[in-house]
Amino acid sequence: MALLTLADAKAQLNIKSDTDDDELLTYVNSVTTVIEEYIGPVEPREVFEQHNAEGGRRTLVLRKSPVLSLTSVEPLLSGGVSYPVDGLVLDQDTGQVYRRDRGWFRGLLGVTLQAGRTDPDPTINLAARMLVQHLWRTQRPARSGAVAGSGDDYSASEPIPGFGYAVPNRVLELLAPYRLPPGVA
């Protein structure tokens, strides 16, 4: 599943020919990384994380969210305890995991999970389309000969913290409902 296809980008840009397909595909392939930096994984993938619960922890907070499912929570050192996933409770949006029996996690643990979204909201796709459009316009001269993006709705007069000028505010506004909680990567 792709966040954005070449056909999506061409439709957004009203491009009918295949002359620029190779260049446009570079833009299409780059927007997923930018959007996932802001809202977390979109395309489902397996993720492995290490968590140190040496002193004991009631909750593990996974670093990648949203989380589709937990695959395993295993000790990384011999003699450690495994935690069967059917004995765990997962908050998919925040990535918090705790034991059903309210016990503690202990030891150095390896957590394997599936992160991403099974059916991303169309708003995320629209944001990706608009980001491609913004980036494409910054590289293409406008019909009047002016630099594309200057003075239009895509120009950025202030850098956006963490994103600079590459992501216009309108894209971030579309993604705001999906933004990661503070401290989650």
Side-chain angles (χ1 to χ4, degrees):
M1 174 192 71
L3 173 59
L4 186 67
T5 65
L6 180 61
D8 290 338
K10 289 173 79 167
Q12 181 71 21
L13 296 168
N14 295 318
I15 294 175
K16 306 288 187 233
S17 76
D18 59 0
T19 306
D20 296 316
D21 281 5
D22 289 340
E23 182 181 3
L24 184 55
L25 199 52
T26 302
Y27 288 76
V28 168
N29 291 334
S30 70
V31 297
T32 298
T33 302
V34 174
I35 288 177
E36 286 185 343
E37 177 71 22
Y38 194 70
I39 68 169
V42 176
E43 298 177 6
R45 68 185 61 117
E46 183 174 271
V47 175
F48 176 81
E49 298 180 357
Q50 289 186 21
H51 290 267
N52 187 343
E54 290 290 338
R57 289 193 177 174
R58 287 215 183 261
T59 305
L60 296 178
V61 180
L62 304 175
R63 291 183 281 284
K64 286 289 182 194
S65 69
V67 180
L68 295 170
S69 63
L70 281 175
T71 306
S72 66
V73 179
E74 301 290 331
L76 294 177
L77 302 174
S78 63
V81 177
S82 272
Y83 299 95
V85 294
D86 62 351
L88 305 175
V89 176
L90 166 67
D91 181 322
Q92 293 178 303
D93 293 327
T94 65
Q96 293 184 9
V97 180
Y98 61 91
R99 292 176 48 181
R100 272 188 210 285
D101 65 5
R102 305 216 187 268
W104 292 66
F105 292 100
R106 298 198 187 279
L108 187 58
L109 303 171
V111 179
T112 304
L113 59 110
Q114 292 293 318
R117 293 166 170 82
T118 55
D119 190 22
D121 190 289
T123 305
I124 297 171
N125 178 270
L126 177 60
R129 289 173 183 244
M130 292 173 71
L131 182 54
V132 164
Q133 185 175 12
H134 169 72
L135 295 171
W136 189 255
R137 283 184 174 187
T138 63
Q139 299 301 313
R140 301 283 180 216
R143 290 185 183 159
S144 66
V147 174
S150 61
D152 69 10
D153 207 18
Y154 286 89
S155 61
S157 58
E158 297 291 326
I160 299 162
F163 292 95
Y165 293 96
V167 182
N169 285 327
R170 64 176 33 208
V171 170
L172 294 177
E173 288 170 3
L174 287 171
L175 297 173
Y178 313 98
R179 188 168 188 179
L180 291 171
V184 176

Coordinates of all heavy atoms in Angstrom, one line a residue, residues 35-73:
I35 N 5.7 13.0 5.8 CA 4.4 12.9 6.5 C 4.6 12.0 7.7 O 4.0 12.3 8.8 CB 3.3 12.5 5.5 CG1 3.0 13.7 4.6 CG2 2.1 12.0 6.3 CD1 2.1 13.5 3.5
E36 N 5.3 10.9 7.6 CA 5.4 10.0 8.7 C 6.2 10.6 9.9 O 6.1 10.2 11.0 CB 6.0 8.7 8.3 CG 5.1 7.8 7.5 CD 5.6 6.5 7.1 OE1 6.8 6.2 7.2 OE2 4.8 5.6 6.8
E37 N 7.1 11.6 9.6 CA 7.8 12.3 10.6 C 6.8 13.0 11.5 O 7.1 13.2 12.7 CB 8.8 13.2 10.0 CG 9.6 14.1 11.0 CD 10.6 13.3 11.8 OE1 11.0 12.2 11.3 OE2 11.0 13.7 12.9
Y38 N 5.8 13.5 11.0 CA 4.8 14.3 11.7 C 3.7 13.4 12.3 O 3.3 13.7 13.5 CB 4.2 15.3 10.7 CG 3.4 16.4 11.3 CD1 4.0 17.4 12.0 CD2 2.0 16.4 11.2 CE1 3.3 18.4 12.6 CE2 1.3 17.5 11.8 CZ 1.9 18.5 12.5 OH 1.2 19.5 13.0
I39 N 3.2 12.4 11.7 CA 2.1 11.6 12.2 C 2.4 10.1 12.5 O 1.5 9.4 12.9 CB 0.9 11.7 11.2 CG1 1.2 10.9 9.9 CG2 0.5 13.1 11.0 CD1 -0.1 10.8 9.0
G40 N 3.6 9.7 12.3 CA 4.0 8.3 12.6 C 3.8 7.5 11.3 O 3.3 8.0 10.3
P41 N 4.0 6.2 11.4 CA 4.0 5.3 10.2 C 2.6 5.3 9.6 O 1.6 5.2 10.3 CB 4.3 3.9 10.8 CG 5.0 4.2 12.0 CD 4.5 5.5 12.6
V42 N 2.6 5.4 8.3 CA 1.3 5.3 7.5 C 1.3 4.0 6.9 O 0.3 3.2 7.0 CB 1.2 6.5 6.5 CG1 -0.1 6.3 5.6 CG2 1.2 7.8 7.2
E43 N 2.3 3.6 6.2 CA 2.4 2.3 5.5 C 2.8 1.3 6.6 O 3.7 1.4 7.3 CB 3.4 2.4 4.4 CG 3.0 3.4 3.3 CD 4.0 3.5 2.2 OE1 5.0 2.8 2.2 OE2 3.8 4.4 1.4
P44 N 2.0 0.2 6.7 CA 2.2 -0.8 7.7 C 3.6 -1.5 7.5 O 4.1 -1.7 6.4 CB 1.1 -1.9 7.5 CG 0.0 -1.1 6.8 CD 0.7 -0.1 6.0
R45 N 4.3 -1.7 8.6 CA 5.6 -2.3 8.6 C 5.9 -2.9 10.0 O 5.4 -2.5 11.0 CB 6.7 -1.3 8.3 CG 6.9 -0.2 9.3 CD 7.9 0.8 8.9 NE 7.4 1.5 7.7 CZ 7.0 2.8 7.7 NH1 7.2 3.5 8.7 NH2 6.6 3.3 6.6
E46 N 6.8 -3.9 9.9 CA 7.3 -4.5 11.2 C 8.4 -3.6 11.8 O 9.3 -3.1 11.1 CB 7.8 -5.9 10.9 CG 8.3 -6.6 12.2 CD 8.6 -8.1 12.0 OE1 7.8 -8.9 12.0 OE2 9.8 -8.3 11.7
V47 N 8.3 -3.5 13.1 CA 9.3 -2.6 13.8 C 9.8 -3.4 15.0 O 9.0 -4.1 15.7 CB 8.6 -1.3 14.3 CG1 9.6 -0.5 15.2 CG2 8.1 -0.5 13.1
F48 N 11.1 -3.4 15.3 CA 11.7 -4.0 16.5 C 12.2 -2.9 17.4 O 12.9 -2.0 16.9 CB 12.8 -4.9 16.1 CG 13.5 -5.5 17.3 CD1 12.9 -6.6 18.0 CD2 14.7 -5.0 17.8 CE1 13.6 -7.1 19.1 CE2 15.3 -5.5 18.9 CZ 14.7 -6.6 19.5
E49 N 11.9 -2.9 18.6 CA 12.4 -1.9 19.6 C 13.0 -2.6 20.8 O 12.5 -3.7 21.2 CB 11.2 -1.0 20.1 CG 10.6 -0.2 19.0 CD 9.5 0.6 19.6 OE1 9.1 0.6 20.8 OE2 8.9 1.4 18.8
Q50 N 14.0 -2.0 21.4 CA 14.5 -2.5 22.7 C 14.0 -1.6 23.8 O 14.0 -0.4 23.7 CB 16.0 -2.5 22.7 CG 16.7 -3.5 21.8 CD 18.2 -3.5 21.9 OE1 18.7 -3.0 22.9 NE2 18.8 -4.0 20.9
H51 N 13.6 -2.2 24.9 CA 13.1 -1.5 26.1 C 13.8 -2.0 27.3 O 13.9 -3.2 27.6 CB 11.6 -1.6 26.2 CG 10.9 -0.9 25.1 ND1 10.4 0.4 25.3 CD2 10.5 -1.3 23.9 CE1 9.8 0.7 24.2 NE2 9.9 -0.2 23.3
N52 N 14.3 -1.1 28.1 CA 15.0 -1.4 29.4 C 14.0 -1.3 30.5 O 13.6 -0.2 30.9 CB 16.2 -0.5 29.6 CG 17.0 -1.0 30.7 OD1 16.6 -1.7 31.6 ND2 18.2 -0.4 30.8
A53 N 13.6 -2.5 31.1 CA 12.7 -2.5 32.2 C 13.5 -3.2 33.4 O 12.9 -3.9 34.2 CB 11.5 -3.2 31.9
E54 N 14.8 -2.9 33.5 CA 15.6 -3.6 34.5 C 15.1 -3.3 35.9 O 15.1 -4.2 36.7 CB 17.1 -3.1 34.4 CG 17.8 -3.5 33.2 CD 18.1 -5.0 33.2 OE1 18.2 -5.6 34.2 OE2 18.3 -5.6 32.1
G55 N 14.7 -2.1 36.2 CA 14.2 -1.8 37.6 C 12.8 -2.2 37.7 O 12.2 -2.0 38.8
G56 N 12.1 -2.6 36.7 CA 10.7 -2.9 36.7 C 9.9 -1.7 36.2 O 10.1 -0.6 36.6
R57 N 8.9 -2.0 35.4 CA 8.0 -1.0 34.8 C 6.6 -1.6 34.7 O 6.4 -2.7 34.2 CB 8.5 -0.5 33.4 CG 9.7 0.3 33.4 CD 9.9 0.9 32.1 NE 11.1 1.7 32.2 CZ 11.6 2.3 31.1 NH1 11.0 2.2 30.0 NH2 12.7 3.1 31.3
R58 N 5.7 -0.8 35.0 CA 4.3 -1.2 34.8 C 3.8 -1.0 33.4 O 3.0 -1.8 32.9 CB 3.3 -0.4 35.7 CG 3.4 -0.8 37.2 CD 2.1 -0.7 37.8 NE 2.2 -0.9 39.2 CZ 1.9 -2.1 39.7 NH1 1.5 -3.1 39.0 NH2 2.0 -2.3 41.0
T59 N 4.4 -0.1 32.7 CA 4.0 0.2 31.3 C 5.2 0.4 30.4 O 6.2 1.0 30.8 CB 3.2 1.6 31.3 OG1 2.1 1.5 32.2 CG2 2.7 1.9 29.9
L60 N 5.1 -0.2 29.2 CA 6.1 0.1 28.2 C 5.5 1.1 27.2 O 4.3 1.0 26.9 CB 6.4 -1.2 27.4 CG 7.1 -2.3 28.1 CD1 7.3 -3.5 27.2 CD2 8.4 -1.9 28.7
V61 N 6.2 2.1 26.8 CA 5.7 3.0 25.9 C 6.5 2.8 24.6 O 7.7 3.1 24.5 CB 5.9 4.5 26.4 CG1 5.3 5.5 25.3 CG2 5.1 4.7 27.7
L62 N 5.8 2.3 23.6 CA 6.5 2.0 22.3 C 6.8 3.3 21.6 O 6.1 4.3 21.7 CB 5.6 1.1 21.4 CG 5.2 -0.2 22.1 CD1 4.2 -0.9 21.2 CD2 6.4 -1.0 22.4
R63 N 7.9 3.3 20.8 CA 8.4 4.5 20.2 C 7.7 4.8 18.8 O 7.8 5.9 18.3 CB 9.9 4.5 20.1 CG 10.6 4.6 21.5 CD 12.1 4.7 21.4 NE 12.7 3.4 21.2 CZ 12.9 2.5 22.2 NH1 12.4 2.7 23.4 NH2 13.5 1.3 22.0
K64 N 7.2 3.7 18.3 CA 6.5 3.9 17.0 C 5.0 3.7 17.2 O 4.5 2.7 17.7 CB 7.0 2.9 15.9 CG 8.3 3.1 15.4 CD 8.3 4.3 14.5 CE 9.7 4.5 13.9 NZ 9.8 5.8 13.3
S65 N 4.2 4.7 16.8 CA 2.8 4.6 16.9 C 2.2 5.4 15.7 O 2.9 6.2 15.1 CB 2.2 5.1 18.2 OG 2.4 6.5 18.3
P66 N 1.0 5.0 15.2 CA 0.1 4.1 15.8 C 0.6 2.6 15.6 O 1.3 2.3 14.7 CB -1.2 4.3 15.0 CG -0.8 4.9 13.7 CD 0.5 5.7 14.0
V67 N 0.2 1.8 16.5 CA 0.6 0.4 16.5 C -0.6 -0.4 16.1 O -1.7 -0.3 16.7 CB 1.0 -0.1 17.9 CG1 1.5 -1.5 17.9 CG2 2.2 0.8 18.4
L68 N -0.4 -1.3 15.1 CA -1.5 -2.2 14.6 C -1.6 -3.4 15.5 O -2.7 -3.8 15.9 CB -1.3 -2.6 13.2 CG -1.3 -1.5 12.1 CD1 -0.8 -2.0 10.8 CD2 -2.7 -0.9 12.0
S69 N -0.5 -3.9 15.9 CA -0.5 -5.1 16.8 C 0.9 -5.4 17.4 O 1.9 -4.9 16.8 CB -1.0 -6.3 16.0 OG 0.0 -6.6 15.0
L70 N 0.9 -6.1 18.4 CA 2.1 -6.6 19.0 C 2.4 -8.0 18.5 O 1.4 -8.8 18.4 CB 2.0 -6.7 20.6 CG 2.1 -5.4 21.4 CD1 1.8 -5.7 22.8 CD2 3.5 -4.8 21.2
T71 N 3.6 -8.3 18.1 CA 4.0 -9.6 17.7 C 4.6 -10.4 18.8 O 4.3 -11.6 19.1 CB 4.9 -9.5 16.5 OG1 4.3 -8.7 15.5 CG2 5.2 -10.9 15.9
S72 N 5.5 -9.8 19.6 CA 6.2 -10.5 20.7 C 6.8 -9.5 21.6 O 7.2 -8.4 21.2 CB 7.2 -11.4 20.2 OG 8.3 -10.8 19.5
V73 N 7.0 -9.9 22.9 CA 7.8 -9.2 23.9 C 8.6 -10.2 24.5 O 8.2 -11.1 25.3 CB 6.9 -8.5 24.9 CG1 7.7 -7.8 26.0 CG2 5.9 -7.5 24.2

